[in-house]
mmCIF file of all heavy atoms in Angstrom:
data_model
loop_
_atom_site.group_PDB
_atom_site.id
_atom_site.type_symbol
_atom_site.label_atom_id
_atom_site.label_comp_id
_atom_site.label_asym_id
_atom_site.label_seq_id
_atom_site.Cartn_x
_atom_site.Cartn_y
_atom_site.Cartn_z
ATOM 1 N N LEU A 1 0.809 -1.221 0.000
ATOM 2 C CA LEU A 1 0.000 0.000 0.000
ATOM 3 C C LEU A 1 0.844 1.273 0.000
ATOM 4 O O LEU A 1 0.305 2.368 -0.178
ATOM 5 C CB LEU A 1 -0.934 0.010 1.213
ATOM 6 C CG LEU A 1 -1.927 -1.158 1.306
ATOM 7 C CD1 LEU A 1 -2.841 -0.974 2.502
ATOM 8 C CD2 LEU A 1 -2.750 -1.279 0.026
ATOM 9 N N GLY A 2 2.143 1.146 0.237
ATOM 10 C CA GLY A 2 3.016 2.309 0.176
ATOM 11 C C GLY A 2 2.915 3.245 1.357
ATOM 12 O O GLY A 2 3.279 4.421 1.260
ATOM 13 N N LEU A 3 2.450 2.761 2.520
ATOM 14 C CA LEU A 3 2.356 3.618 3.698
ATOM 15 C C LEU A 3 3.749 3.886 4.270
ATOM 16 O O LEU A 3 4.657 3.049 4.148
ATOM 17 C CB LEU A 3 1.486 2.963 4.777
ATOM 18 C CG LEU A 3 -0.025 3.261 4.743
ATOM 19 C CD1 LEU A 3 -0.642 2.797 3.440
ATOM 20 C CD2 LEU A 3 -0.717 2.601 5.936
ATOM 21 N N SER A 4 3.910 5.039 4.898
ATOM 22 C CA SER A 4 5.177 5.359 5.551
ATOM 23 C C SER A 4 5.308 4.540 6.838
ATOM 24 O O SER A 4 4.351 3.903 7.292
ATOM 25 C CB SER A 4 5.235 6.850 5.890
ATOM 26 O OG SER A 4 4.279 7.169 6.885
ATOM 27 N N ALA A 5 6.507 4.588 7.440
ATOM 28 C CA ALA A 5 6.725 3.854 8.691
ATOM 29 C C ALA A 5 5.792 4.344 9.788
ATOM 30 O O ALA A 5 5.268 3.554 10.582
ATOM 31 C CB ALA A 5 8.188 3.995 9.123
ATOM 32 N N VAL A 6 5.571 5.652 9.831
ATOM 33 C CA VAL A 6 4.678 6.207 10.855
ATOM 34 C C VAL A 6 3.241 5.756 10.618
ATOM 35 O O VAL A 6 2.545 5.326 11.545
ATOM 36 C CB VAL A 6 4.757 7.744 10.856
ATOM 37 C CG1 VAL A 6 3.767 8.330 11.857
ATOM 38 C CG2 VAL A 6 6.171 8.208 11.180
ATOM 39 N N GLU A 7 2.785 5.822 9.372
ATOM 40 C CA GLU A 7 1.421 5.391 9.051
ATOM 41 C C GLU A 7 1.241 3.901 9.314
ATOM 42 O O GLU A 7 0.188 3.472 9.789
ATOM 43 C CB GLU A 7 1.117 5.719 7.591
ATOM 44 C CG GLU A 7 1.029 7.208 7.288
ATOM 45 C CD GLU A 7 0.974 7.503 5.799
ATOM 46 O OE1 GLU A 7 1.595 6.735 5.020
ATOM 47 O OE2 GLU A 7 0.336 8.484 5.411
ATOM 48 N N THR A 8 2.277 3.126 9.029
ATOM 49 C CA THR A 8 2.223 1.686 9.305
ATOM 50 C C THR A 8 2.080 1.436 10.802
ATOM 51 O O THR A 8 1.272 0.606 11.241
ATOM 52 C CB THR A 8 3.486 0.987 8.773
ATOM 53 O OG1 THR A 8 3.559 1.157 7.355
ATOM 54 C CG2 THR A 8 3.471 -0.497 9.101
ATOM 55 N N GLY A 9 2.862 2.166 11.605
ATOM 56 C CA GLY A 9 2.767 2.014 13.054
ATOM 57 C C GLY A 9 1.396 2.364 13.592
ATOM 58 O O GLY A 9 0.873 1.690 14.476
ATOM 59 N N VAL A 10 0.779 3.406 13.049
ATOM 60 C CA VAL A 10 -0.566 3.805 13.484
ATOM 61 C C VAL A 10 -1.576 2.714 13.173
ATOM 62 O O VAL A 10 -2.467 2.408 13.986
ATOM 63 C CB VAL A 10 -0.972 5.132 12.812
ATOM 64 C CG1 VAL A 10 -2.450 5.436 13.062
ATOM 65 C CG2 VAL A 10 -0.113 6.276 13.320
ATOM 66 N N ARG A 11 -1.452 2.098 12.005
ATOM 67 C CA ARG A 11 -2.395 1.045 11.615
ATOM 68 C C ARG A 11 -2.258 -0.206 12.471
ATOM 69 O O ARG A 11 -3.213 -0.988 12.593
ATOM 70 C CB ARG A 11 -2.176 0.686 10.137
ATOM 71 C CG ARG A 11 -2.727 1.722 9.173
ATOM 72 C CD ARG A 11 -4.240 1.739 9.232
ATOM 73 N NE ARG A 11 -4.833 2.739 8.334
ATOM 74 C CZ ARG A 11 -6.129 2.908 8.178
ATOM 75 N NH1 ARG A 11 -6.981 2.165 8.868
ATOM 76 N NH2 ARG A 11 -6.597 3.827 7.360
ATOM 77 N N ILE A 12 -1.090 -0.414 13.074
ATOM 78 C CA ILE A 12 -0.865 -1.607 13.899
ATOM 79 C C ILE A 12 -1.305 -1.385 15.346
ATOM 80 O O ILE A 12 -1.504 -2.334 16.105
ATOM 81 C CB ILE A 12 0.629 -2.016 13.832
ATOM 82 C CG1 ILE A 12 0.998 -2.439 12.407
ATOM 83 C CG2 ILE A 12 0.943 -3.163 14.772
ATOM 84 C CD1 ILE A 12 2.455 -2.756 12.220
ATOM 85 N N LEU A 13 -1.507 -0.136 15.741
ATOM 86 C CA LEU A 13 -1.845 0.175 17.127
ATOM 87 C C LEU A 13 -3.117 -0.501 17.652
ATOM 88 O O LEU A 13 -3.202 -0.772 18.851
ATOM 89 C CB LEU A 13 -1.961 1.685 17.304
ATOM 90 C CG LEU A 13 -0.627 2.444 17.411
ATOM 91 C CD1 LEU A 13 -0.869 3.931 17.576
ATOM 92 C CD2 LEU A 13 0.210 1.905 18.566
ATOM 93 N N PRO A 14 -4.163 -0.778 16.816
ATOM 94 C CA PRO A 14 -5.333 -1.485 17.358
ATOM 95 C C PRO A 14 -4.983 -2.797 18.048
ATOM 96 O O PRO A 14 -5.612 -3.176 19.033
ATOM 97 C CB PRO A 14 -6.204 -1.719 16.115
ATOM 98 C CG PRO A 14 -5.876 -0.573 15.220
ATOM 99 C CD PRO A 14 -4.409 -0.325 15.428
ATOM 100 N N LEU A 15 -3.965 -3.490 17.535
ATOM 101 C CA LEU A 15 -3.540 -4.738 18.175
ATOM 102 C C LEU A 15 -3.027 -4.458 19.583
ATOM 103 O O LEU A 15 -3.337 -5.192 20.534
ATOM 104 C CB LEU A 15 -2.467 -5.424 17.335
ATOM 105 C CG LEU A 15 -1.970 -6.780 17.846
ATOM 106 C CD1 LEU A 15 -1.681 -7.718 16.674
ATOM 107 C CD2 LEU A 15 -0.710 -6.636 18.683
ATOM 108 N N SER A 16 -2.224 -3.396 19.744
ATOM 109 C CA SER A 16 -1.697 -3.053 21.071
ATOM 110 C C SER A 16 -2.825 -2.733 22.044
ATOM 111 O O SER A 16 -2.772 -3.100 23.224
ATOM 112 C CB SER A 16 -0.751 -1.855 20.963
ATOM 113 O OG SER A 16 0.351 -2.151 20.148
ATOM 114 N N LEU A 17 -3.851 -2.053 21.551
ATOM 115 C CA LEU A 17 -4.965 -1.644 22.415
ATOM 116 C C LEU A 17 -5.695 -2.845 22.991
ATOM 117 O O LEU A 17 -5.862 -2.967 24.216
ATOM 118 C CB LEU A 17 -5.924 -0.759 21.623
ATOM 119 C CG LEU A 17 -7.187 -0.302 22.351
ATOM 120 C CD1 LEU A 17 -6.824 0.575 23.536
ATOM 121 C CD2 LEU A 17 -8.128 0.434 21.396
ATOM 122 N N THR A 18 -6.147 -3.753 22.129
ATOM 123 C CA THR A 18 -6.902 -4.903 22.632
ATOM 124 C C THR A 18 -6.002 -5.888 23.367
ATOM 125 O O THR A 18 -6.450 -6.580 24.288
ATOM 126 C CB THR A 18 -7.627 -5.625 21.472
ATOM 127 O OG1 THR A 18 -6.693 -5.904 20.417
ATOM 128 C CG2 THR A 18 -8.757 -4.774 20.933
ATOM 129 N N LEU A 19 -4.725 -5.953 22.980
ATOM 130 C CA LEU A 19 -3.793 -6.821 23.697
ATOM 131 C C LEU A 19 -3.673 -6.376 25.153
ATOM 132 O O LEU A 19 -3.754 -7.191 26.084
ATOM 133 C CB LEU A 19 -2.427 -6.768 23.004
ATOM 134 C CG LEU A 19 -1.344 -7.743 23.477
ATOM 135 C CD1 LEU A 19 -0.350 -7.997 22.347
ATOM 136 C CD2 LEU A 19 -0.582 -7.206 24.682
ATOM 137 N N LEU A 20 -3.493 -5.086 25.357
ATOM 138 C CA LEU A 20 -3.361 -4.567 26.713
ATOM 139 C C LEU A 20 -4.654 -4.760 27.501
ATOM 140 O O LEU A 20 -4.633 -5.148 28.677
ATOM 141 C CB LEU A 20 -2.993 -3.082 26.652
ATOM 142 C CG LEU A 20 -2.528 -2.415 27.939
ATOM 143 C CD1 LEU A 20 -1.306 -3.133 28.503
ATOM 144 C CD2 LEU A 20 -2.206 -0.949 27.694
ATOM 145 N N LEU A 21 -5.789 -4.530 26.859
ATOM 146 C CA LEU A 21 -7.077 -4.711 27.529
ATOM 147 C C LEU A 21 -7.270 -6.160 27.973
ATOM 148 O O LEU A 21 -7.712 -6.426 29.093
ATOM 149 C CB LEU A 21 -8.210 -4.297 26.597
ATOM 150 C CG LEU A 21 -8.387 -2.788 26.360
ATOM 151 C CD1 LEU A 21 -9.459 -2.540 25.303
ATOM 152 C CD2 LEU A 21 -8.751 -2.073 27.669
ATOM 153 N N ALA A 22 -6.944 -7.103 27.100
ATOM 154 C CA ALA A 22 -7.116 -8.518 27.445
ATOM 155 C C ALA A 22 -6.120 -8.962 28.502
ATOM 156 O O ALA A 22 -6.475 -9.688 29.445
ATOM 157 C CB ALA A 22 -6.974 -9.383 26.189
ATOM 158 N N ALA A 23 -4.868 -8.534 28.373
ATOM 159 C CA ALA A 23 -3.834 -8.958 29.321
ATOM 160 C C ALA A 23 -4.149 -8.478 30.734
ATOM 161 O O ALA A 23 -3.903 -9.185 31.714
ATOM 162 C CB ALA A 23 -2.468 -8.440 28.878
ATOM 163 N N VAL A 24 -4.701 -7.272 30.854
ATOM 164 C CA VAL A 24 -5.032 -6.724 32.171
ATOM 165 C C VAL A 24 -6.436 -7.146 32.607
ATOM 166 O O VAL A 24 -6.672 -7.473 33.777
ATOM 167 C CB VAL A 24 -4.937 -5.180 32.144
ATOM 168 C CG1 VAL A 24 -5.335 -4.603 33.490
ATOM 169 C CG2 VAL A 24 -3.527 -4.744 31.775
ATOM 170 N N GLY A 25 -7.374 -7.142 31.664
ATOM 171 C CA GLY A 25 -8.771 -7.349 32.008
ATOM 172 C C GLY A 25 -9.144 -8.769 32.356
ATOM 173 O O GLY A 25 -9.951 -8.998 33.278
ATOM 174 N N VAL A 26 -8.580 -9.767 31.663
ATOM 175 C CA VAL A 26 -8.965 -11.162 31.919
ATOM 176 C C VAL A 26 -8.664 -11.569 33.360
ATOM 177 O O VAL A 26 -9.545 -12.096 34.061
ATOM 178 C CB VAL A 26 -8.295 -12.104 30.902
ATOM 179 C CG1 VAL A 26 -8.492 -13.562 31.323
ATOM 180 C CG2 VAL A 26 -8.849 -11.870 29.506
ATOM 181 N N PRO A 27 -7.434 -11.348 33.883
ATOM 182 C CA PRO A 27 -7.188 -11.735 35.282
ATOM 183 C C PRO A 27 -8.015 -10.927 36.286
ATOM 184 O O PRO A 27 -8.365 -11.427 37.345
ATOM 185 C CB PRO A 27 -5.688 -11.457 35.470
ATOM 186 C CG PRO A 27 -5.126 -11.408 34.097
ATOM 187 C CD PRO A 27 -6.207 -10.846 33.235
ATOM 188 N N ARG A 28 -8.307 -9.673 35.930
ATOM 189 C CA ARG A 28 -9.065 -8.834 36.866
ATOM 190 C C ARG A 28 -10.542 -9.218 36.895
ATOM 191 O O ARG A 28 -11.162 -9.294 37.960
ATOM 192 C CB ARG A 28 -8.911 -7.365 36.494
ATOM 193 C CG ARG A 28 -9.652 -6.407 37.428
ATOM 194 C CD ARG A 28 -9.449 -4.968 36.998
ATOM 195 N NE ARG A 28 -8.087 -4.540 37.213
ATOM 196 C CZ ARG A 28 -7.622 -4.062 38.370
ATOM 197 N NH1 ARG A 28 -8.443 -3.981 39.416
ATOM 198 N NH2 ARG A 28 -6.382 -3.686 38.487
ATOM 199 N N LEU A 29 -11.134 -9.449 35.726
ATOM 200 C CA LEU A 29 -12.565 -9.740 35.649
ATOM 201 C C LEU A 29 -12.879 -11.202 35.915
ATOM 202 O O LEU A 29 -13.947 -11.536 36.431
ATOM 203 C CB LEU A 29 -13.098 -9.327 34.271
ATOM 204 C CG LEU A 29 -12.995 -7.833 33.930
ATOM 205 C CD1 LEU A 29 -13.486 -7.580 32.506
ATOM 206 C CD2 LEU A 29 -13.803 -7.001 34.936
ATOM 207 N N TRP A 30 -11.972 -12.091 35.526
ATOM 208 C CA TRP A 30 -12.200 -13.541 35.711
ATOM 209 C C TRP A 30 -10.984 -14.173 36.379
ATOM 210 O O TRP A 30 -10.274 -14.989 35.772
ATOM 211 C CB TRP A 30 -12.464 -14.216 34.363
ATOM 212 C CG TRP A 30 -13.677 -13.684 33.675
ATOM 213 C CD1 TRP A 30 -14.986 -13.930 33.976
ATOM 214 C CD2 TRP A 30 -13.696 -12.788 32.545
ATOM 215 N NE1 TRP A 30 -15.814 -13.261 33.124
ATOM 216 C CE2 TRP A 30 -15.060 -12.541 32.222
ATOM 217 C CE3 TRP A 30 -12.712 -12.173 31.773
ATOM 218 C CZ2 TRP A 30 -15.437 -11.719 31.177
ATOM 219 C CZ3 TRP A 30 -13.082 -11.337 30.734
ATOM 220 C CH2 TRP A 30 -14.425 -11.121 30.450
ATOM 221 N N PRO A 31 -10.711 -13.815 37.630
ATOM 222 C CA PRO A 31 -9.511 -14.341 38.305
ATOM 223 C C PRO A 31 -9.538 -15.852 38.497
ATOM 224 O O PRO A 31 -8.488 -16.478 38.626
ATOM 225 C CB PRO A 31 -9.515 -13.607 39.652
ATOM 226 C CG PRO A 31 -10.952 -13.221 39.866
ATOM 227 C CD PRO A 31 -11.501 -12.930 38.501
ATOM 228 N N GLY A 32 -10.725 -16.441 38.530
ATOM 229 C CA GLY A 32 -10.804 -17.886 38.727
ATOM 230 C C GLY A 32 -10.982 -18.670 37.452
ATOM 231 O O GLY A 32 -11.280 -19.875 37.493
ATOM 232 N N ALA A 33 -10.803 -18.012 36.296
ATOM 233 C CA ALA A 33 -11.008 -18.698 35.018
ATOM 234 C C ALA A 33 -9.949 -19.767 34.779
ATOM 235 O O ALA A 33 -8.800 -19.642 35.213
ATOM 236 C CB ALA A 33 -10.988 -17.685 33.874
ATOM 237 N N SER A 34 -10.338 -20.810 34.095
ATOM 238 C CA SER A 34 -9.421 -21.893 33.747
ATOM 239 C C SER A 34 -8.389 -21.390 32.742
ATOM 240 O O SER A 34 -8.744 -20.871 31.678
ATOM 241 C CB SER A 34 -10.211 -23.055 33.138
ATOM 242 O OG SER A 34 -9.370 -23.899 32.383
ATOM 243 N N PRO A 35 -7.071 -21.531 33.042
ATOM 244 C CA PRO A 35 -6.053 -21.130 32.071
ATOM 245 C C PRO A 35 -6.214 -21.834 30.724
ATOM 246 O O PRO A 35 -6.010 -21.220 29.676
ATOM 247 C CB PRO A 35 -4.744 -21.527 32.757
ATOM 248 C CG PRO A 35 -5.052 -21.480 34.215
ATOM 249 C CD PRO A 35 -6.474 -21.953 34.326
ATOM 250 N N ARG A 36 -6.603 -23.118 30.772
ATOM 251 C CA ARG A 36 -6.776 -23.857 29.514
ATOM 252 C C ARG A 36 -7.889 -23.220 28.683
ATOM 253 O O ARG A 36 -7.740 -23.046 27.463
ATOM 254 C CB ARG A 36 -7.122 -25.319 29.806
ATOM 255 C CG ARG A 36 -7.251 -26.171 28.538
ATOM 256 C CD ARG A 36 -7.724 -27.576 28.870
ATOM 257 N NE ARG A 36 -6.807 -28.256 29.770
ATOM 258 C CZ ARG A 36 -7.018 -29.488 30.245
ATOM 259 N NH1 ARG A 36 -8.128 -30.138 29.916
ATOM 260 N NH2 ARG A 36 -6.141 -30.047 31.054
ATOM 261 N N ARG A 37 -8.982 -22.839 29.336
ATOM 262 C CA ARG A 37 -10.104 -22.247 28.600
ATOM 263 C C ARG A 37 -9.744 -20.857 28.062
ATOM 264 O O ARG A 37 -10.057 -20.528 26.921
ATOM 265 C CB ARG A 37 -11.327 -22.169 29.504
ATOM 266 C CG ARG A 37 -12.558 -21.570 28.830
ATOM 267 C CD ARG A 37 -13.780 -21.699 29.712
ATOM 268 N NE ARG A 37 -14.100 -23.102 29.960
ATOM 269 C CZ ARG A 37 -15.072 -23.509 30.773
ATOM 270 N NH1 ARG A 37 -15.807 -22.616 31.432
ATOM 271 N NH2 ARG A 37 -15.302 -24.798 30.948
ATOM 272 N N VAL A 38 -9.079 -20.045 28.889
ATOM 273 C CA VAL A 38 -8.702 -18.695 28.448
ATOM 274 C C VAL A 38 -7.752 -18.765 27.257
ATOM 275 O O VAL A 38 -7.913 -18.039 26.265
ATOM 276 C CB VAL A 38 -8.052 -17.903 29.609
ATOM 277 C CG1 VAL A 38 -7.488 -16.574 29.096
ATOM 278 C CG2 VAL A 38 -9.061 -17.651 30.713
ATOM 279 N N VAL A 39 -6.755 -19.642 27.331
ATOM 280 C CA VAL A 39 -5.799 -19.780 26.230
ATOM 281 C C VAL A 39 -6.497 -20.309 24.980
ATOM 282 O O VAL A 39 -6.218 -19.853 23.855
ATOM 283 C CB VAL A 39 -4.628 -20.696 26.642
ATOM 284 C CG1 VAL A 39 -3.758 -21.041 25.436
ATOM 285 C CG2 VAL A 39 -3.788 -20.028 27.723
ATOM 286 N N SER A 40 -7.415 -21.257 25.153
ATOM 287 C CA SER A 40 -8.136 -21.802 23.993
ATOM 288 C C SER A 40 -8.950 -20.714 23.293
ATOM 289 O O SER A 40 -8.916 -20.590 22.062
ATOM 290 C CB SER A 40 -9.056 -22.944 24.438
ATOM 291 O OG SER A 40 -8.308 -24.028 24.954
ATOM 292 N N TRP A 41 -9.678 -19.919 24.079
ATOM 293 C CA TRP A 41 -10.455 -18.833 23.482
ATOM 294 C C TRP A 41 -9.547 -17.763 22.878
ATOM 295 O O TRP A 41 -9.881 -17.152 21.861
ATOM 296 C CB TRP A 41 -11.393 -18.214 24.515
ATOM 297 C CG TRP A 41 -12.649 -19.028 24.708
ATOM 298 C CD1 TRP A 41 -12.990 -19.783 25.782
ATOM 299 C CD2 TRP A 41 -13.726 -19.160 23.775
ATOM 300 N NE1 TRP A 41 -14.206 -20.394 25.595
ATOM 301 C CE2 TRP A 41 -14.689 -20.021 24.367
ATOM 302 C CE3 TRP A 41 -13.982 -18.653 22.510
ATOM 303 C CZ2 TRP A 41 -15.876 -20.382 23.725
ATOM 304 C CZ3 TRP A 41 -15.166 -19.000 21.870
ATOM 305 C CH2 TRP A 41 -16.087 -19.846 22.477
ATOM 306 N N GLY A 42 -8.399 -17.553 23.504
ATOM 307 C CA GLY A 42 -7.442 -16.619 22.926
ATOM 308 C C GLY A 42 -6.938 -17.088 21.570
ATOM 309 O O GLY A 42 -6.818 -16.296 20.619
ATOM 310 N N LEU A 43 -6.638 -18.382 21.454
ATOM 311 C CA LEU A 43 -6.200 -18.938 20.172
ATOM 312 C C LEU A 43 -7.307 -18.861 19.126
ATOM 313 O O LEU A 43 -7.038 -18.606 17.941
ATOM 314 C CB LEU A 43 -5.749 -20.388 20.364
ATOM 315 C CG LEU A 43 -4.439 -20.582 21.136
ATOM 316 C CD1 LEU A 43 -4.228 -22.058 21.459
ATOM 317 C CD2 LEU A 43 -3.244 -20.047 20.344
ATOM 318 N N ILE A 44 -8.554 -19.065 19.558
ATOM 319 C CA ILE A 44 -9.682 -18.961 18.619
ATOM 320 C C ILE A 44 -9.809 -17.528 18.107
ATOM 321 O O ILE A 44 -10.044 -17.290 16.916
ATOM 322 C CB ILE A 44 -10.978 -19.436 19.300
ATOM 323 C CG1 ILE A 44 -10.922 -20.946 19.517
ATOM 324 C CG2 ILE A 44 -12.201 -19.068 18.453
ATOM 325 C CD1 ILE A 44 -12.058 -21.494 20.372
ATOM 326 N N ALA A 45 -9.660 -16.541 19.012
ATOM 327 C CA ALA A 45 -9.703 -15.135 18.579
ATOM 328 C C ALA A 45 -8.561 -14.826 17.622
ATOM 329 O O ALA A 45 -8.740 -14.124 16.620
ATOM 330 C CB ALA A 45 -9.636 -14.217 19.804
ATOM 331 N N LEU A 46 -7.387 -15.364 17.925
ATOM 332 C CA LEU A 46 -6.232 -15.164 17.051
ATOM 333 C C LEU A 46 -6.466 -15.798 15.685
ATOM 334 O O LEU A 46 -6.161 -15.206 14.641
ATOM 335 C CB LEU A 46 -4.994 -15.770 17.721
ATOM 336 C CG LEU A 46 -3.604 -15.444 17.154
ATOM 337 C CD1 LEU A 46 -3.393 -13.952 17.026
ATOM 338 C CD2 LEU A 46 -2.539 -16.071 18.043
ATOM 339 N N LEU A 47 -7.047 -17.001 15.684
ATOM 340 C CA LEU A 47 -7.365 -17.678 14.428
ATOM 341 C C LEU A 47 -8.408 -16.894 13.637
ATOM 342 O O LEU A 47 -8.304 -16.765 12.413
ATOM 343 C CB LEU A 47 -7.869 -19.091 14.729
ATOM 344 C CG LEU A 47 -8.222 -19.964 13.511
ATOM 345 C CD1 LEU A 47 -7.000 -20.190 12.627
ATOM 346 C CD2 LEU A 47 -8.797 -21.309 13.973
#
C-alpha cells in the first residue's frame, strides 16, 4: 500500500490496544477462570 513507517505504526496500534485490555482485564474480571479455557479462546480469537 506504500504507507510510511509512521502510518504503518498507526495502523498496527489497534492490536496493542486490545492486547493490553485482554492482558489486564482477563485476570481482573475472571480471576478464577481456567487457564486452559482462556488460552483456547485466545487462540480462537487469534485464528
Side-chain angles (χ1 to χ4, degrees):
L1 300 184
L3 270 61
S4 67
V6 176
E7 292 170 327
T8 298
V10 170
R11 285 292 179 178
I12 295 176
L13 282 180
L15 183 144
S16 298
L17 177 63
T18 51
L19 188 155
L20 192 58
L21 287 174
V24 178
V26 170
R28 181 180 291 275
L29 298 177
W30 299 285
S34 160
R36 183 185 300 178
R37 180 172 298 175
V38 172
V39 170
S40 296
W41 279 109
L43 290 170
I44 290 171
L46 193 53
L47 181 61

